[in-house]
Amino acid sequence: MITQDLKDRLIADYPKFEDMTHKFYKKEMSIADYKGQSGAYGSYAERGANSGMSRWRFNGGRMTREHMQFLADAIRKYNLQHVHFTTGQCLQMHGLDGDTILNLYKECYDHGIYNRGAGGDNPNVVASILRGIDPRETLDITPYATAISEFLLEQMFYIKIPRKFKMGIDNGFDSTPHATFKDLGFNLTKHNTFDVYACGGIGPNPRIGIPVAHDVQPEDVLYHVKAMLMVFANHGNFKNRGKARTRYMPAEMGGAEAFIKTYEETLAMVKEVEQLTINPADYAYEITKTGKRDNSVENDRIHRQKQEGLYYVEYHPAGGDANVEHLLPALDYAVTLDQVEARIAPDQALFFINLTADEARKIAELTDDSAENDFRRSVSCVGSTVCQIGMQDSNGLLKDIFRHLEEKGVDTRKLPRLHISGCPHSCGTHQIGEIGFHGAVKLVDKKPTVAFILVDGGSEHMGSENFGKMAGNIVATKIPEFLEALANILNESPEPDFGTWRMTHKAEYMELIKAFE
């Protein structure tokens, strides 16, 4: 639980953040020095160093009605125009001046949104978006996801780790938390226990996680969190930041077996000396609201919950960038409804949950700029126009693709979801998409030209996880035409979607890529 002592710790060093931010925006601190410190407070300067970002962390992406009201108020108060849903289930506000960043940090804290560590080595714990409402689930993982999130907030003040420590926990059906390839992940089994994976991750040197434990009782997950933090602190690379993530650690320890041995020994020690067993009742909350079943309301964006007569609505704006003219009315309406929440999804969507059929219809109407098929739900990071380290404008590319295909009147229903990153770091998860792109440069007539590496054959789905391979390097301006050509081929084929078509037409697909290189 978040105690008053922890709350005090989370705000205690705010004066340090305030001082560095004032210095940076007065040009008294370098970009590198500020970046090395401000991330611990959920903020980075943006490209050009004249504006910055505020990252808001929500446990498993959960936004209460109070959070939604605060978000709506903040959008109006500070004229926030760039609201971005991240793949880490956070909100990012972009284009801010230093004073606004500082004000939002304090106001978030006052509303129970704790951004300390959100941009540093203690990011959000990603959890299944439909936990607690999925008709298929046999265990609500909410108490355990919440307990892990709150435990990590506390531990960051006691355990120093070399670099980011990303976690995921799923409900056994939803693969988007990427539990099998996080620094530490919990995958719910059919026995309502967790299989535990460690040392996974995407980006440079991607790795599927190493299975370190099977059939772990849900109430025991914190022992594994503490053990992994200790192994990372004791064996992670503090000298070379490029190799400071957990996925490099097993090789440096002598291999997977040596790592597992150390992990198990550390776990045994933690169990002997600490009391970390979770009482789920301490973190559970009950949805008592009910409604009337109405099958006519269900569509591509409105789906039934396991609670009688309740529904959820998916709102997926292009590239995760919410149009505040649609978001604000939806928030204003949602906060008037009983027990309604919003949840940020790892695929850059916002889910409004616990809605009656009529309420769901209204939310869907207010968010009618949402994606209407899987292709339009494509994922993109913010890109180089905003990000300091981004190589190319990933978000701009995605919107150029959408614009081009709309102008050409192309049917996009058979195209897959794209995953686009501005650089190899995979914030846009390009390595796990059927089609992924990451920013690059290509020599054209001996001149460096904006381009994107096409990554082929990735998968995030449990049991078939795979990191895609480089299949081509295409100039950015040709990519919309490439996807137009691919869509036309798919629309003329009998196969129902790209994935099915690719299985028997890979050579043709590779030839198409080559034709646009």
Side-chain angles (χ1 to χ4, degrees):
M1 303 293 287
I2 298 182
T3 63
Q4 187 58 50
D5 179 65
L6 178 55
K7 290 180 182 180
D8 292 342
R9 284 177 174 268
L10 291 169
I11 199 67
D13 55 1
Y14 168 77
K16 180 180 177 182
F17 179 44
E18 182 179 49
D19 180 63
M20 73 176 74
T21 300
H22 284 316
K23 286 180 178 177
F24 176 75
Y25 286 98
K26 290 179 181 177
K27 309 299 182 184
E28 297 172 0
M29 179 182 283
S30 71
I31 294 174
D33 287 344
Y34 185 64
K35 182 178 184 294
Q37 301 177 58
S38 66
Y41 303 89
S43 183
Y44 291 114
E46 296 174 335
R47 188 171 292 272
N50 294 314
S51 62
M53 171 271 287
S54 174
R55 181 179 295 160
W56 300 8
R57 173 170 49 199
F58 299 91
N59 288 349
R62 182 192 178 206
M63 298 176 64
T64 64
R65 282 198 300 172
E66 291 75 19
H67 292 154
M68 287 190 283
Q69 183 64 66
F70 169 61
L71 173 59
D73 292 343
I75 289 173
R76 291 189 171 96
K77 180 178 179 179
Y78 296 105
N79 191 29
L80 303 177
Q81 293 298 308
H82 190 171
V83 180
H84 182 72
F85 306 143
T86 78
T87 55
Q89 292 185 306
C90 293
L91 283 181
Q92 286 182 182
M93 312 299 168
H94 290 281
L96 310 179
D97 59 43
D99 287 340
T100 300
I101 290 169
L102 294 172
N103 289 338
L104 286 174
Y105 186 88
K106 291 184 293 184
E107 291 174 24
C108 280
Y109 174 86
D110 291 339
H111 289 84
I113 302 169
Y114 305 115
N115 301 330
R116 181 68 169 85
D121 294 338
N122 297 274
N124 212 12
V125 176
V126 178
S128 291
I129 196 68
L130 298 181
R131 63 192 183 279
I133 66 171
D134 192 333
R136 302 167 298 175
E137 72 180 12
T138 55
L139 177 73
D140 181 3
I141 65 169
T142 298
Y144 312 104
T146 304
I148 292 170
S149 296
E150 295 181 358
F151 182 71
L152 284 177
L153 281 178
E154 177 186 78
Q155 291 300 300
M156 70 178 172
F157 294 106
Y158 299 105
I159 299 179
K160 181 175 176 57
I161 54 178
R163 206 174 170 189
K164 288 183 180 179
F165 185 76
K166 295 185 177 183
M167 290 190 56
I169 179 170
D170 67 52
N171 66 356
F173 296 97
D174 171 20
S175 60
T176 59
H178 304 159
T180 55
F181 49 96
K182 281 284 201 284
D183 293 298
L184 187 67
F186 296 92
N187 168 224
L188 190 69
T189 73
K190 62 182 179 181
H191 307 296
N192 288 343
T193 57
F194 286 107
D195 286 343
V196 185
Y197 297 81
C199 299
I202 54 178
N205 190 44
R207 289 289 184 272
I208 299 296
I210 298 170
V212 292
H214 297 284
D215 286 326
V216 172
Q217 293 300 316
E219 59 268 23
D220 291 337
V221 293
L222 292 186
Y223 293 104
H224 290 266
V225 176
K226 184 62 176 284
M228 186 60 188
L229 285 171
M230 292 179 67
V231 173
F232 192 24
N234 291 328
H235 298 276
N237 193 328
F238 283 90
K239 296 180 180 179
N240 183 349
R241 188 164 177 80
K243 293 186 176 182
R245 295 296 297 274
T246 63
R247 56 184 178 269
Y248 293 92
M249 195 165 59
E252 295 179 351
M253 294 175 66
E257 289 186 7
F259 164 74
I260 292 171
K261 182 175 184 294
T262 300
Y263 180 92
E264 290 176 342
E265 291 172 349
T266 307
L267 177 64
M269 181 188 68
V270 171
K271 287 183 174 180
E272 184 176 341
V273 301
E274 300 225 33
Q275 177 49 256
L276 299 175
T277 303
I278 295 170
N279 178 6
D282 291 340
Y283 301 92
Y285 65 96
E286 185 180 4
I287 299 170
T288 58
K289 181 178 178 179
T290 59
K292 292 183 179 180
R293 179 78 174 269
D294 183 352
N295 292 336
S296 69
V297 76
E298 296 182 51
N299 58 39
D300 288 342
R301 293 207 293 129
I302 302 176
H303 304 278
R304 184 165 54 90
Q305 297 181 191
K306 70 180 184 181
Q307 289 79 15
E308 180 64 30
L310 296 188
Y311 299 84
Y312 66 90
V313 176
E314 178 182 352
Y315 171 47
H316 197 135
D321 286 343
N323 182 332
V324 294
E325 293 183 3
H326 289 265
L327 178 61
L328 267 177
L331 293 172
D332 288 342
Y333 176 63
V335 298
T336 68
L337 306 176
D338 179 40
Q339 298 185 47
V340 170
E341 298 179 4
R343 292 181 180 177
I344 306 163
D347 62 354
Q348 300 182 313
L350 188 68
F351 284 48
F352 292 90
I353 72 168
N354 301 338
L355 301 163
T356 65
D358 287 341
E359 292 166 354
R361 287 189 180 94
K362 182 64 175 179
I363 289 288
E365 176 188 329
L366 293 170
T367 57
D368 62 1
D369 62 323
S370 180
E372 72 276 5
N373 61 35
D374 206 41
F375 171 70
R376 296 286 300 195
R377 297 184 185 98
S378 293
V379 174
S380 166
C381 65
V382 294
S384 62
T385 60
V386 174
C387 179
Q388 287 187 45
I389 64 173
M391 292 178 64
Q392 307 298 355
D393 184 9
S394 49
N395 200 269
L397 172 64
L398 180 62
K399 290 169 183 175
D400 285 345
I401 291 168
F402 288 164
R403 189 180 306 111
H404 176 83
L405 297 180
E406 286 174 4
E407 290 174 353
K408 295 292 184 178
V410 176
D411 184 348
T412 62
R413 285 176 292 180
K414 287 189 177 183
L415 286 172
R417 181 179 303 196
L418 306 178
H419 295 248
I420 309 178
S421 303
C423 70
H425 283 284
S426 208
C427 293
T429 62
H430 64 269
Q431 292 164 314
I432 55 169
E434 289 182 283
I435 297 179
F437 293 97
H438 77 74
V441 174
K442 183 175 183 177
L443 288 177
V444 178
D445 297 329
K446 299 182 180 180
K447 295 180 180 179
T449 305
V450 175
F452 283 79
I453 299 292
L454 189 152
V455 178
D456 168 61
S459 173
E460 67 179 356
H461 300 295
M462 288 179 287
S464 60
E465 301 94 330
N466 184 57
F467 300 128
K469 302 292 190 295
M470 174 181 170
N473 188 2
I474 305 177
V475 171
T477 54
K478 291 185 177 181
I479 292 175
E481 296 174 3
F482 161 74
L483 289 163
E484 177 188 357
L486 177 60
N488 289 335
I489 292 171
L490 294 174
N491 291 334
E492 293 174 1
S493 73
E495 288 82 6
D497 53 47
F498 169 77
T500 307
W501 175 84
R502 179 187 171 280
M503 289 175 65
T504 54
H505 295 79
K506 187 172 181 180
E508 182 181 349
Y509 179 47
M510 293 299 113
E511 289 175 6
L512 179 66
I513 294 171
K514 188 174 181 180
F516 281 87
E517 280 198 284

